[in-house]
Amino acid sequence: MSTDEPTTRFDEVDWDEITSGRDRTLSPNLKGAAVVLGAISALILYDVFIVPADDSTFGAVGWYYDVTGIDWLFAISIVLFGFYGVLPLYQNARMTRYYWREFRKNRPAMVSLVFLGIIFVGGLLGPVFMAPPEVQLYRQYQPPVGFEISQQYIVNCAGSVVNGACQGTWQYPFGTTGDGRGVFTMIVYGMQITMKITFIATLLVITIGTAVGTVSAYMGGLVDEVLMRYVDIQQSFPTLILYLLVLYIYGGNLALFILLFGFFAWEGTARYVRSNALAKTEEEYIKAVQLSGASTYRIIRRHIIPNTASSIITDLTLLIPVFLLFEAQLAFLGLSAPGTPSWGNLIADGRADLASAPWITLIPGTVLTFTILAFNFLGDAVLDAIDPEAQAEVER
């Protein structure tokens, strides 16, 4: 057994220097995110200051897609999700394997994961390989495959005509709308709208709500009082009224919906995270970290937030369906951005044709329903794998 003694005693260690040095150290995740976000920022500057207003962003390389502001926000949200949501799973392979074993025990969640994967891939790649839906009045009310419609409702049948009824064809597998746009194409483009709402709005809500909730719980006192009173004030303000006011002034667009509800819907998340963080701040390991001399920033970032992840995931699974449903409701009432190929707008387009062409509303409505169910199943399974006790509390 070695009898060597340490050259520096515990009470001689400069803990301030150690903890402050660690706080200044940039993690690989932060470095990678900074590099990618820097490249995206350069592309945004190129799009704004170099590309002519009437030209597409990447027309110089043969890709004639004009990237909008909401597309840039979508790209940024995917990058942040990748570096802070997906990459940590690779970095903690042992825990990831354990979580995966627990997760795949839930078969509805596995089916939901596959379904949402299709939605995600379709939303990303579908618009790249498919032309946007176009108005073709001579193709109006084409029925889906396996269905038929009387010729009195259509101008020109794309499929065969049997006993005076137009049959569905694989050219339009889900049929067409009253102005001839393909329902399948609009659903694929609607997948991208769904992903934008999911990633951007929830990223804003989770970031702001988590920051406010954890800081309020850990700091306590006057900081907690001020933050929570502000949450009360903002929570009492009717976001829908604000949306209608801005809609009246500036007109409807998807970016307005996402940003407005992203910045004004985090109060519940802040309260939920705060209640869980308050319990964590009383744990012995937090007190031990405080005694070691760690800074407030390090305690919150490395200990409070990671240990409240289960509550954040719970709130996230509740938020996403709310945003998707709210967009569909606004679109159905005619308060969404006109011309946006969202599932809500598609459902609204078919409300006047339910008797003759019900597929215009029923098919996107079914896809929306399954998407919301998939998020709920997925969230329950993830929460059950990460924190079974939290899942038991939710079920009670």
Side-chain angles (χ1 to χ4, degrees):
M1 181 174 65
S2 173
T3 59
D4 294 339
E5 295 184 358
T7 58
T8 304
R9 298 189 313 176
F10 180 84
D11 56 359
E12 295 176 348
V13 175
D14 188 351
W15 293 103
D16 290 336
E17 179 181 354
I18 292 176
T19 56
S20 62
R22 288 179 179 176
D23 287 343
R24 290 193 300 265
T25 302
L26 300 179
S27 66
N29 304 54
L30 180 59
K31 294 178 181 177
V35 171
V36 178
L37 291 178
I40 293 177
S41 300
L43 289 174
I44 294 175
L45 295 175
Y46 167 77
D47 186 23
V48 173
F49 296 104
I50 297 179
V51 178
D54 297 332
D55 293 350
S56 57
T57 305
F58 300 105
V61 296
W63 183 27
Y64 297 99
Y65 180 78
D66 189 23
V67 183
T68 62
I70 201 67
D71 292 326
W72 292 122
L73 287 176
F74 183 43
I76 291 172
S77 65
I78 289 179
V79 170
L80 293 177
F81 175 77
F83 279 102
Y84 290 98
V86 178
L87 185 58
L89 296 178
Y90 173 78
Q91 295 170 331
N92 300 275
R94 184 179 64 85
M95 292 303 298
T96 300
R97 286 193 295 269
Y98 167 76
Y99 292 145
W100 175 248
R101 286 197 302 269
E102 295 297 317
F103 176 85
R104 65 185 182 184
K105 294 178 182 177
N106 191 319
R107 292 188 177 181
M110 291 295 295
V111 175
S112 300
L113 183 64
V114 174
F115 179 79
L116 292 176
I118 294 173
I119 297 294
F120 179 74
V121 174
L124 283 181
L125 302 181
V128 176
F129 297 101
M130 297 178 63
E134 297 179 352
V135 174
Q136 303 178 82
L137 295 178
Y138 65 95
R139 293 299 191 191
Q140 63 180 5
Y141 298 129
Q142 301 295 317
V145 173
F147 292 83
E148 63 181 20
I149 187 174
S150 174
Q151 278 193 289
Q152 64 178 331
Y153 295 106
I154 62 175
V155 176
N156 184 16
C157 181
S160 58
V161 178
V162 179
N163 297 326
C166 177
Q167 309 296 312
T169 174
W170 284 106
Q171 182 180 355
Y172 302 104
F174 289 169
T176 62
T177 64
D179 53 13
R181 291 178 295 173
V183 174
F184 177 76
T185 304
M186 293 190 68
I187 287 178
V188 171
Y189 272 78
M191 291 177 182
Q192 187 179 84
I193 304 299
T194 299
M195 290 297 102
K196 289 176 180 178
I197 295 173
T198 300
F199 278 89
I200 301 173
T202 54
L203 177 65
L204 291 173
V205 169
I206 292 299
T207 301
I208 301 174
T210 300
V212 173
T214 53
V215 170
S216 178
Y218 182 76
M219 298 300 292
L222 181 61
V223 174
D224 182 30
E225 186 69 19
V226 171
L227 289 177
M228 287 299 101
R229 295 298 73 77
Y230 175 77
V231 168
D232 291 337
I233 294 172
Q234 182 166 309
Q235 200 165 24
S236 64
F237 190 85
T239 307
L240 178 60
I241 300 299
L242 178 61
Y243 175 80
L244 294 177
L245 178 62
V246 177
L247 181 70
Y248 174 76
I249 298 174
Y250 298 103
N253 59 77
L254 183 64
L256 171 66
F257 171 84
I258 293 176
L259 295 177
L260 189 63
F261 285 92
F263 282 115
F264 285 89
W266 52 265
E267 304 93 344
T269 301
R271 287 188 174 280
Y272 189 62
V273 171
R274 174 181 176 272
S275 65
N276 285 271
L278 280 173
K280 302 300 180 184
T281 56
E282 299 300 323
E283 298 287 346
E284 294 299 325
Y285 67 89
I286 295 295
K287 297 178 180 179
V289 174
Q290 291 172 334
L291 292 174
S292 71
S295 66
T296 300
Y297 170 75
R298 182 176 178 82
I299 293 174
I300 292 176
R301 182 175 66 90
R302 296 295 299 275
H303 301 282
I304 300 293
I305 293 179
N307 285 286
T308 56
S310 59
S311 61
I312 297 173
I313 292 173
T314 302
D315 195 67
L316 181 66
T317 58
L318 296 174
L319 276 174
I320 294 175
V322 168
F323 281 130
L324 296 180
L325 278 175
F326 203 70
E327 190 279 332
Q329 292 168 355
L330 291 176
F332 191 80
L333 294 174
L335 300 175
S336 182
T340 303
S342 67
W343 295 341
N345 278 327
L346 184 56
I347 293 172
D349 287 343
R351 60 187 173 184
D353 301 309
L354 285 174
S356 58
W359 60 83
I360 303 175
T361 292
L362 293 181
I363 293 178
T366 302
V367 174
L368 177 62
T369 300
F370 280 118
T371 301
I372 292 173
L373 285 175
F375 274 116
N376 288 329
F377 286 143
L378 187 68
D380 289 342
V382 170
L383 180 60
D384 194 31
I386 294 177
D387 192 350
E389 294 182 358
Q391 176 66 10
E393 292 178 2
V394 172
E395 292 176 353
R396 287 203 298 269

PDB file of all heavy atoms in Angstrom, residues 86 88-105 110 385-386:
ATOM      1  N   VAL A  86     -30.194  15.048 -28.958  1.00  0.00           N
ATOM      2  CA  VAL A  86     -29.794  13.772 -29.551  1.00  0.00           C
ATOM      3  C   VAL A  86     -28.352  13.415 -29.208  1.00  0.00           C
ATOM      4  O   VAL A  86     -28.059  12.283 -28.799  1.00  0.00           O
ATOM      5  CB  VAL A  86     -29.981  13.812 -31.088  1.00  0.00           C
ATOM      6  CG1 VAL A  86     -29.515  12.501 -31.710  1.00  0.00           C
ATOM      7  CG2 VAL A  86     -31.437  14.080 -31.429  1.00  0.00           C
ATOM      8  N   PRO A  88     -26.409  14.169 -26.636  1.00  0.00           N
ATOM      9  CA  PRO A  88     -26.198  13.634 -25.283  1.00  0.00           C
ATOM     10  C   PRO A  88     -26.554  12.163 -25.143  1.00  0.00           C
ATOM     11  O   PRO A  88     -25.986  11.474 -24.290  1.00  0.00           O
ATOM     12  CB  PRO A  88     -27.108  14.525 -24.420  1.00  0.00           C
ATOM     13  CG  PRO A  88     -27.182  15.809 -25.158  1.00  0.00           C
ATOM     14  CD  PRO A  88     -27.191  15.420 -26.601  1.00  0.00           C
ATOM     15  N   LEU A  89     -27.487  11.674 -25.953  1.00  0.00           N
ATOM     16  CA  LEU A  89     -27.806  10.247 -25.904  1.00  0.00           C
ATOM     17  C   LEU A  89     -26.614   9.412 -26.354  1.00  0.00           C
ATOM     18  O   LEU A  89     -26.341   8.341 -25.798  1.00  0.00           O
ATOM     19  CB  LEU A  89     -29.012   9.960 -26.802  1.00  0.00           C
ATOM     20  CG  LEU A  89     -30.334  10.624 -26.404  1.00  0.00           C
ATOM     21  CD1 LEU A  89     -31.414  10.285 -27.430  1.00  0.00           C
ATOM     22  CD2 LEU A  89     -30.766  10.199 -25.019  1.00  0.00           C
ATOM     23  N   TYR A  90     -25.887   9.902 -27.354  1.00  0.00           N
ATOM     24  CA  TYR A  90     -24.678   9.203 -27.810  1.00  0.00           C
ATOM     25  C   TYR A  90     -23.553   9.324 -26.790  1.00  0.00           C
ATOM     26  O   TYR A  90     -22.790   8.376 -26.572  1.00  0.00           O
ATOM     27  CB  TYR A  90     -24.246   9.771 -29.159  1.00  0.00           C
ATOM     28  CG  TYR A  90     -22.917   9.246 -29.642  1.00  0.00           C
ATOM     29  CD1 TYR A  90     -22.809   7.979 -30.221  1.00  0.00           C
ATOM     30  CD2 TYR A  90     -21.761  10.013 -29.520  1.00  0.00           C
ATOM     31  CE1 TYR A  90     -21.590   7.495 -30.660  1.00  0.00           C
ATOM     32  CE2 TYR A  90     -20.538   9.543 -29.953  1.00  0.00           C
ATOM     33  CZ  TYR A  90     -20.448   8.281 -30.526  1.00  0.00           C
ATOM     34  OH  TYR A  90     -19.241   7.814 -30.948  1.00  0.00           O
ATOM     35  N   GLN A  91     -23.455  10.484 -26.169  1.00  0.00           N
ATOM     36  CA  GLN A  91     -22.391  10.708 -25.199  1.00  0.00           C
ATOM     37  C   GLN A  91     -22.593   9.903 -23.926  1.00  0.00           C
ATOM     38  O   GLN A  91     -21.630   9.637 -23.209  1.00  0.00           O
ATOM     39  CB  GLN A  91     -22.311  12.203 -24.869  1.00  0.00           C
ATOM     40  CG  GLN A  91     -21.887  13.061 -26.054  1.00  0.00           C
ATOM     41  CD  GLN A  91     -22.046  14.543 -25.783  1.00  0.00           C
ATOM     42  OE1 GLN A  91     -22.912  14.946 -25.017  1.00  0.00           O
ATOM     43  NE2 GLN A  91     -21.218  15.361 -26.426  1.00  0.00           N
ATOM     44  N   ASN A  92     -23.817   9.536 -23.612  1.00  0.00           N
ATOM     45  CA  ASN A  92     -24.117   8.720 -22.436  1.00  0.00           C
ATOM     46  C   ASN A  92     -24.723   7.400 -22.903  1.00  0.00           C
ATOM     47  O   ASN A  92     -25.895   7.110 -22.670  1.00  0.00           O
ATOM     48  CB  ASN A  92     -25.086   9.464 -21.515  1.00  0.00           C
ATOM     49  CG  ASN A  92     -24.527  10.783 -21.019  1.00  0.00           C
ATOM     50  OD1 ASN A  92     -23.797  10.838 -20.038  1.00  0.00           O
ATOM     51  ND2 ASN A  92     -24.865  11.870 -21.702  1.00  0.00           N
ATOM     52  N   ALA A  93     -23.886   6.621 -23.572  1.00  0.00           N
ATOM     53  CA  ALA A  93     -24.364   5.409 -24.244  1.00  0.00           C
ATOM     54  C   ALA A  93     -24.953   4.399 -23.259  1.00  0.00           C
ATOM     55  O   ALA A  93     -25.956   3.744 -23.555  1.00  0.00           O
ATOM     56  CB  ALA A  93     -23.230   4.765 -25.034  1.00  0.00           C
ATOM     57  N   ARG A  94     -24.345   4.258 -22.068  1.00  0.00           N
ATOM     58  CA  ARG A  94     -24.830   3.260 -21.117  1.00  0.00           C
ATOM     59  C   ARG A  94     -26.244   3.578 -20.651  1.00  0.00           C
ATOM     60  O   ARG A  94     -27.121   2.712 -20.653  1.00  0.00           O
ATOM     61  CB  ARG A  94     -23.889   3.190 -19.909  1.00  0.00           C
ATOM     62  CG  ARG A  94     -24.263   2.104 -18.898  1.00  0.00           C
ATOM     63  CD  ARG A  94     -23.273   2.090 -17.746  1.00  0.00           C
ATOM     64  NE  ARG A  94     -23.333   3.338 -16.995  1.00  0.00           N
ATOM     65  CZ  ARG A  94     -24.222   3.573 -16.010  1.00  0.00           C
ATOM     66  NH1 ARG A  94     -25.113   2.646 -15.699  1.00  0.00           N
ATOM     67  NH2 ARG A  94     -24.209   4.699 -15.365  1.00  0.00           N
ATOM     68  N   MET A  95     -26.492   4.829 -20.273  1.00  0.00           N
ATOM     69  CA  MET A  95     -27.824   5.219 -19.841  1.00  0.00           C
ATOM     70  C   MET A  95     -28.818   5.175 -21.002  1.00  0.00           C
ATOM     71  O   MET A  95     -29.982   4.824 -20.823  1.00  0.00           O
ATOM     72  CB  MET A  95     -27.788   6.617 -19.235  1.00  0.00           C
ATOM     73  CG  MET A  95     -27.030   6.708 -17.920  1.00  0.00           C
ATOM     74  SD  MET A  95     -27.696   5.593 -16.662  1.00  0.00           S
ATOM     75  CE  MET A  95     -29.357   6.212 -16.471  1.00  0.00           C
ATOM     76  N   THR A  96     -28.347   5.507 -22.203  1.00  0.00           N
ATOM     77  CA  THR A  96     -29.229   5.465 -23.364  1.00  0.00           C
ATOM     78  C   THR A  96     -29.700   4.043 -23.639  1.00  0.00           C
ATOM     79  O   THR A  96     -30.870   3.819 -23.964  1.00  0.00           O
ATOM     80  CB  THR A  96     -28.510   6.031 -24.600  1.00  0.00           C
ATOM     81  OG1 THR A  96     -28.126   7.386 -24.339  1.00  0.00           O
ATOM     82  CG2 THR A  96     -29.403   5.988 -25.819  1.00  0.00           C
ATOM     83  N   ARG A  97     -28.784   3.074 -23.514  1.00  0.00           N
ATOM     84  CA  ARG A  97     -29.174   1.676 -23.715  1.00  0.00           C
ATOM     85  C   ARG A  97     -30.215   1.246 -22.683  1.00  0.00           C
ATOM     86  O   ARG A  97     -31.160   0.517 -22.998  1.00  0.00           O
ATOM     87  CB  ARG A  97     -27.941   0.769 -23.645  1.00  0.00           C
ATOM     88  CG  ARG A  97     -27.038   0.857 -24.868  1.00  0.00           C
ATOM     89  CD  ARG A  97     -26.033  -0.286 -24.880  1.00  0.00           C
ATOM     90  NE  ARG A  97     -25.102  -0.180 -23.749  1.00  0.00           N
ATOM     91  CZ  ARG A  97     -23.939   0.471 -23.812  1.00  0.00           C
ATOM     92  NH1 ARG A  97     -23.570   1.080 -24.934  1.00  0.00           N
ATOM     93  NH2 ARG A  97     -23.140   0.512 -22.768  1.00  0.00           N
ATOM     94  N   TYR A  98     -30.030   1.709 -21.451  1.00  0.00           N
ATOM     95  CA  TYR A  98     -31.000   1.372 -20.411  1.00  0.00           C
ATOM     96  C   TYR A  98     -32.353   1.995 -20.731  1.00  0.00           C
ATOM     97  O   TYR A  98     -33.391   1.329 -20.657  1.00  0.00           O
ATOM     98  CB  TYR A  98     -30.499   1.863 -19.049  1.00  0.00           C
ATOM     99  CG  TYR A  98     -31.567   1.826 -17.973  1.00  0.00           C
ATOM    100  CD1 TYR A  98     -31.936   0.619 -17.388  1.00  0.00           C
ATOM    101  CD2 TYR A  98     -32.216   2.995 -17.568  1.00  0.00           C
ATOM    102  CE1 TYR A  98     -32.926   0.581 -16.414  1.00  0.00           C
ATOM    103  CE2 TYR A  98     -33.194   2.966 -16.602  1.00  0.00           C
ATOM    104  CZ  TYR A  98     -33.558   1.760 -16.026  1.00  0.00           C
ATOM    105  OH  TYR A  98     -34.537   1.730 -15.074  1.00  0.00           O
ATOM    106  N   TYR A  99     -32.373   3.266 -21.079  1.00  0.00           N
ATOM    107  CA  TYR A  99     -33.627   3.937 -21.412  1.00  0.00           C
ATOM    108  C   TYR A  99     -34.310   3.276 -22.613  1.00  0.00           C
ATOM    109  O   TYR A  99     -35.543   3.150 -22.652  1.00  0.00           O
ATOM    110  CB  TYR A  99     -33.378   5.419 -21.712  1.00  0.00           C
ATOM    111  CG  TYR A  99     -32.954   6.231 -20.514  1.00  0.00           C
ATOM    112  CD1 TYR A  99     -32.050   7.279 -20.649  1.00  0.00           C
ATOM    113  CD2 TYR A  99     -33.445   5.942 -19.242  1.00  0.00           C
ATOM    114  CE1 TYR A  99     -31.651   8.035 -19.547  1.00  0.00           C
ATOM    115  CE2 TYR A  99     -33.055   6.688 -18.146  1.00  0.00           C
ATOM    116  CZ  TYR A  99     -32.154   7.732 -18.303  1.00  0.00           C
ATOM    117  OH  TYR A  99     -31.772   8.476 -17.222  1.00  0.00           O
ATOM    118  N   TRP A 100     -33.496   2.872 -23.596  1.00  0.00           N
ATOM    119  CA  TRP A 100     -34.060   2.254 -24.790  1.00  0.00           C
ATOM    120  C   TRP A 100     -34.714   0.913 -24.455  1.00  0.00           C
ATOM    121  O   TRP A 100     -35.786   0.582 -24.975  1.00  0.00           O
ATOM    122  CB  TRP A 100     -32.985   2.073 -25.847  1.00  0.00           C
ATOM    123  CG  TRP A 100     -33.448   1.345 -27.073  1.00  0.00           C
ATOM    124  CD1 TRP A 100     -33.072   0.105 -27.499  1.00  0.00           C
ATOM    125  CD2 TRP A 100     -34.409   1.807 -28.036  1.00  0.00           C
ATOM    126  NE1 TRP A 100     -33.716  -0.224 -28.659  1.00  0.00           N
ATOM    127  CE2 TRP A 100     -34.546   0.800 -29.017  1.00  0.00           C
ATOM    128  CE3 TRP A 100     -35.143   2.974 -28.160  1.00  0.00           C
ATOM    129  CZ2 TRP A 100     -35.393   0.929 -30.096  1.00  0.00           C
ATOM    130  CZ3 TRP A 100     -36.007   3.109 -29.238  1.00  0.00           C
ATOM    131  CH2 TRP A 100     -36.125   2.088 -30.189  1.00  0.00           C
ATOM    132  N   ARG A 101     -34.095   0.125 -23.567  1.00  0.00           N
ATOM    133  CA  ARG A 101     -34.681  -1.155 -23.158  1.00  0.00           C
ATOM    134  C   ARG A 101     -36.028  -0.927 -22.473  1.00  0.00           C
ATOM    135  O   ARG A 101     -36.983  -1.672 -22.691  1.00  0.00           O
ATOM    136  CB  ARG A 101     -33.732  -1.896 -22.213  1.00  0.00           C
ATOM    137  CG  ARG A 101     -32.523  -2.512 -22.892  1.00  0.00           C
ATOM    138  CD  ARG A 101     -31.860  -3.552 -21.996  1.00  0.00           C
ATOM    139  NE  ARG A 101     -31.439  -2.971 -20.720  1.00  0.00           N
ATOM    140  CZ  ARG A 101     -30.234  -2.448 -20.510  1.00  0.00           C
ATOM    141  NH1 ARG A 101     -29.340  -2.433 -21.491  1.00  0.00           N
ATOM    142  NH2 ARG A 101     -29.913  -1.956 -19.333  1.00  0.00           N
ATOM    143  N   GLU A 102     -36.091   0.109 -21.648  1.00  0.00           N
ATOM    144  CA  GLU A 102     -37.349   0.407 -20.973  1.00  0.00           C
ATOM    145  C   GLU A 102     -38.387   0.959 -21.953  1.00  0.00           C
ATOM    146  O   GLU A 102     -39.568   0.634 -21.856  1.00  0.00           O
ATOM    147  CB  GLU A 102     -37.102   1.424 -19.849  1.00  0.00           C
ATOM    148  CG  GLU A 102     -36.215   0.907 -18.728  1.00  0.00           C
ATOM    149  CD  GLU A 102     -36.844  -0.268 -18.005  1.00  0.00           C
ATOM    150  OE1 GLU A 102     -38.060  -0.203 -17.727  1.00  0.00           O
ATOM    151  OE2 GLU A 102     -36.121  -1.255 -17.734  1.00  0.00           O
ATOM    152  N   PHE A 103     -37.925   1.776 -22.885  1.00  0.00           N
ATOM    153  CA  PHE A 103     -38.842   2.427 -23.820  1.00  0.00           C
ATOM    154  C   PHE A 103     -39.499   1.421 -24.751  1.00  0.00           C
ATOM    155  O   PHE A 103     -40.708   1.494 -25.001  1.00  0.00           O
ATOM    156  CB  PHE A 103     -38.083   3.488 -24.626  1.00  0.00           C
ATOM    157  CG  PHE A 103     -38.910   4.155 -25.684  1.00  0.00           C
ATOM    158  CD1 PHE A 103     -39.720   5.241 -25.365  1.00  0.00           C
ATOM    159  CD2 PHE A 103     -38.887   3.720 -27.000  1.00  0.00           C
ATOM    160  CE1 PHE A 103     -40.496   5.860 -26.336  1.00  0.00           C
ATOM    161  CE2 PHE A 103     -39.651   4.332 -27.977  1.00  0.00           C
ATOM    162  CZ  PHE A 103     -40.457   5.408 -27.636  1.00  0.00           C
ATOM    163  N   ARG A 104     -38.733   0.487 -25.286  1.00  0.00           N
ATOM    164  CA  ARG A 104     -39.286  -0.414 -26.294  1.00  0.00           C
ATOM    165  C   ARG A 104     -40.225  -1.462 -25.714  1.00  0.00           C
ATOM    166  O   ARG A 104     -40.825  -2.222 -26.462  1.00  0.00           O
ATOM    167  CB  ARG A 104     -38.160  -1.089 -27.069  1.00  0.00           C
ATOM    168  CG  ARG A 104     -37.284  -2.009 -26.257  1.00  0.00           C
ATOM    169  CD  ARG A 104     -36.139  -2.523 -27.114  1.00  0.00           C
ATOM    170  NE  ARG A 104     -35.283  -3.450 -26.390  1.00  0.00           N
ATOM    171  CZ  ARG A 104     -34.173  -3.974 -26.884  1.00  0.00           C
ATOM    172  NH1 ARG A 104     -33.799  -3.643 -28.108  1.00  0.00           N
ATOM    173  NH2 ARG A 104     -33.449  -4.806 -26.171  1.00  0.00           N
ATOM    174  N   LYS A 105     -40.368  -1.477 -24.387  1.00  0.00           N
ATOM    175  CA  LYS A 105     -41.377  -2.346 -23.786  1.00  0.00           C
ATOM    176  C   LYS A 105     -42.782  -1.832 -24.081  1.00  0.00           C
ATOM    177  O   LYS A 105     -43.751  -2.583 -23.996  1.00  0.00           O
ATOM    178  CB  LYS A 105     -41.165  -2.432 -22.272  1.00  0.00           C
ATOM    179  CG  LYS A 105     -39.871  -3.114 -21.858  1.00  0.00           C
ATOM    180  CD  LYS A 105     -39.721  -3.103 -20.345  1.00  0.00           C
ATOM    181  CE  LYS A 105     -38.393  -3.735 -19.922  1.00  0.00           C
ATOM    182  NZ  LYS A 105     -38.211  -3.674 -18.439  1.00  0.00           N
ATOM    183  N   MET A 110     -43.560   2.565 -29.545  1.00  0.00           N
ATOM    184  CA  MET A 110     -42.693   2.213 -30.659  1.00  0.00           C
ATOM    185  C   MET A 110     -43.378   2.518 -31.994  1.00  0.00           C
ATOM    186  O   MET A 110     -42.758   3.046 -32.914  1.00  0.00           O
ATOM    187  CB  MET A 110     -42.327   0.728 -30.586  1.00  0.00           C
ATOM    188  CG  MET A 110     -41.416   0.359 -29.431  1.00  0.00           C
ATOM    189  SD  MET A 110     -39.783   1.114 -29.576  1.00  0.00           S
ATOM    190  CE  MET A 110     -39.174   0.308 -31.055  1.00  0.00           C
ATOM    191  N   ALA A 385     -39.707   5.619 -18.892  1.00  0.00           N
ATOM    192  CA  ALA A 385     -38.348   5.074 -18.950  1.00  0.00           C
ATOM    193  C   ALA A 385     -37.367   5.903 -18.137  1.00  0.00           C
ATOM    194  O   ALA A 385     -36.486   5.363 -17.452  1.00  0.00           O
ATOM    195  CB  ALA A 385     -37.878   5.001 -20.405  1.00  0.00           C
ATOM    196  N   ILE A 386     -37.513   7.222 -18.178  1.00  0.00           N
ATOM    197  CA  ILE A 386     -36.568   8.096 -17.480  1.00  0.00           C
ATOM    198  C   ILE A 386     -36.851   8.155 -15.988  1.00  0.00           C
ATOM    199  O   ILE A 386     -35.939   8.078 -15.155  1.00  0.00           O
ATOM    200  CB  ILE A 386     -36.623   9.514 -18.082  1.00  0.00           C
ATOM    201  CG1 ILE A 386     -36.112   9.490 -19.521  1.00  0.00           C
ATOM    202  CG2 ILE A 386     -35.794  10.491 -17.254  1.00  0.00           C
ATOM    203  CD1 ILE A 386     -36.191  10.830 -20.209  1.00  0.00           C
TER     204      ILE A 386
END
